[in-house]
Amino acid sequence: MARRKSRILAFQALFSWDTGNKNLDDLFLFPWAGDSKILSDQESLTFAKLLIAGTVEHIQEIDKLIEKHLENTWSIERINKVDLAILRISVYPILYQKDIHPTIVINEAVDISKEFGSDDSYKFINAVLDNVRKDLEA
């Protein structure tokens, strides 16, 4: 469960980074989290920061991979910001954290999208991430 909370924290930070042009130092303070118990769990906090920093560091490669797996009529600019943040924090571990199986990452992304996305976000996120996984395994 701690990893799920870390992923949610990372998703929220990435959303804030994308919509508010916040820098990483400000994001790593997690001002929206208040006195959440996750902020006192150093392992969870470290994992969230790793996801955020890694995603931002590799954002161009991640976005290119996401866009490659969108339907022909879609561009990355058309994806709502919530879905985009979830996709981004999910593509990063699929690409770079080989100790985490892609199906775990995809399942977590689907669950987060059910909680924070629109009614059909989870279908879209599942399809894009599954295609990314298949592409990288080929």
Side-chain angles (χ1 to χ4, degrees):
M1 191 61 152
R3 286 272 172 120
R4 163 84 46 91
K5 290 179 181 179
S6 297
R7 286 182 175 95
I8 290 171
L9 200 59
F11 143 70
Q12 292 169 333
L14 202 60
F15 177 84
S16 182
W17 173 81
D18 193 30
T19 60
N21 295 318
K22 303 281 185 187
N23 68 46
L24 287 183
D25 291 334
D26 292 339
L27 291 177
F28 287 163
L29 297 174
F30 304 104
W32 64 90
D35 61 352
S36 173
K37 289 191 332 188
I38 195 167
L39 296 179
S40 61
D41 179 358
Q42 195 57 43
E43 185 178 332
S44 296
L45 204 54
T46 299
F47 183 67
K49 288 178 179 181
L50 173 70
L51 284 176
I52 298 161
T55 301
V56 170
E57 181 180 342
H58 298 282
I59 199 73
Q60 290 178 334
E61 180 181 5
I62 290 168
D63 283 356
K64 190 179 289 186
L65 195 54
I66 291 169
E67 195 151 35
K68 177 181 176 184
H69 295 286
L70 297 176
E71 292 184 21
N72 295 335
T73 58
W74 280 76
S75 68
I76 205 159
E77 292 80 24
R78 287 190 59 204
I79 301 173
N80 78 51
K81 297 296 185 186
V82 169
D83 291 351
L84 183 58
I86 295 169
L87 285 170
R88 285 171 165 169
I89 63 130
S90 301
V91 170
Y92 171 75
I94 291 172
L95 277 172
Y96 295 105
Q97 293 179 313
K98 300 301 182 186
D99 60 321
I100 303 173
H101 199 278
T103 56
I104 293 171
V105 175
I106 294 169
N107 288 339
E108 290 285 333
V110 166
D111 287 344
I112 292 169
S113 68
K114 286 179 180 178
E115 185 174 346
F116 294 96
S118 64
D119 289 343
D120 289 333
S121 288
Y122 73 96
K123 295 175 188 175
F124 170 72
I125 287 174
N126 185 59
V128 172
L129 292 176
D130 195 47
N131 286 331
V132 167
R133 178 193 58 83
K134 287 175 185 174
D135 187 24
L136 294 175
E137 288 177 354

